[in-house]
Amino acid sequence: MLFLTLPLAGLLVRAPWSTLAERLGEPQVLEALRLSLVTATVATLVCLLLGVPLAWMLARVAFPGRRLVRALVTVPLVLPPVVGGVALLLVLGRRGLVGQWLDSTFGVTLPFTTAGVVIAETFVAMPFLVISVEGALRAADPRFEEAAATLGASRWTIFRRVTLPLIAPGVVAGAVLCWARALGEFGATITFAGNFPGRTQTMPLAVYLALETEPEAAIVLSLVLLTVSVVILAGLRDRWVSGP
């Protein structure tokens, strides 16, 4: 416990509390905070759009290679984020497998842009949503869906009016975890999107940069991320901890 909590305690002890409000109001801090909140929220929405159907397929549809697909979905959880950023560059970079076609056909360049930040955050955060939603789907009683089907409801109606309300807590928990992971993403972001203030410099990147020149600013940004993490863990405590 000391090993886990002492670093956090050191962050709180060394924090510049007397100038905290002033430092939080600095333009570069506010810009990094704004960009982080926007990109993490957009990445979470993309994860919801793509991850919920994927989780439903893994939980409800039996198809050849389902175990392999589930394993591939969880790869970003254990893959070093920097490696994920390199992989994204090789696929979506200007000379990448898909990026070259996007650039020549539509003039779209994703690396080192705000959209690149969203893509990097989505790549590392989506597994948290998929795992949470798939678990909720497996725990939901399928008899409610079967009853709706016998009454003539279409598959879309069953999913929208029966399945989603049943798994809503799992979707919310997965979305919150996904948002928190996107907010704290560093390795894939700096590798794929770079570190440009106002465009790709999110809070973790700003912490890294400030640590070299202005350590107190790095501590302030770290406190913001720590506060977000504690609030999220406290809110989701009942999903992971049972008993008194």
Side-chain angles (χ1 to χ4, degrees):
M1 284 300 297
L2 287 175
F3 175 76
L4 294 175
T5 57
L6 275 179
L8 302 180
L11 188 65
L12 296 173
V13 170
R14 297 296 297 274
W17 296 106
S18 59
T19 60
L20 183 63
E22 179 182 349
R23 291 186 178 276
L24 284 175
E26 292 180 357
Q28 63 270 23
V29 174
L30 292 176
E31 185 61 31
L33 178 60
R34 181 198 65 81
L35 184 64
S36 293
L37 294 176
V38 170
T39 55
T41 301
V42 175
T44 302
L45 293 176
V46 175
C47 289
L48 285 168
L49 180 65
L50 302 178
V52 172
L54 177 58
W56 181 87
M57 182 182 71
L58 291 173
R60 290 286 193 265
V61 181
F63 60 91
R66 181 168 65 172
R67 291 185 178 180
L68 176 60
V69 172
R70 183 179 292 112
L72 292 174
V73 167
T74 58
V75 165
L77 289 175
V78 296
L79 188 71
V82 173
V83 177
V86 172
L88 289 173
L89 274 176
L90 294 177
V91 174
L92 299 175
R94 295 187 64 180
R95 297 184 180 180
L97 299 176
V98 178
Q100 186 175 7
W101 173 76
L102 289 174
D103 185 37
S104 61
T105 305
F106 303 103
V108 175
T109 303
L110 295 174
F112 309 109
T113 63
T114 304
V117 176
V118 174
I119 291 174
E121 293 177 348
T122 301
F123 177 77
V124 300
M126 188 182 293
F128 290 89
L129 177 73
V130 174
I131 291 174
S132 179
V133 175
E134 184 187 0
L137 282 165
R138 291 184 177 278
D141 192 341
R143 291 178 297 178
F144 294 103
E145 298 171 329
E146 295 169 359
T150 59
L151 294 174
S154 65
R155 288 188 175 183
W156 170 243
T157 301
I158 294 173
F159 180 75
R160 182 171 53 90
R161 301 291 297 274
V162 179
T163 306
L164 276 182
L166 283 175
I167 65 172
V171 174
V172 172
V176 172
L177 287 174
C178 181
W179 184 84
R181 180 64 185 89
L183 188 69
E185 167 50 31
F186 176 83
T189 301
I190 197 171
T191 306
F192 183 64
N195 186 15
F196 301 99
R199 188 170 64 182
T200 65
Q201 188 181 91
T202 56
M203 290 181 64
L205 273 63
V207 170
Y208 177 77
L209 185 64
L211 192 61
E212 299 179 350
T213 58
E214 195 176 358
E216 288 191 348
I219 294 175
V220 170
L221 287 170
S222 299
L223 282 175
V224 174
L225 293 174
L226 176 62
T227 302
V228 171
S229 300
V230 170
V231 169
I232 289 173
L233 289 175
L236 297 180
R237 178 181 180 276
D238 292 337
R239 291 190 60 83
W240 299 323
V241 181
S242 59

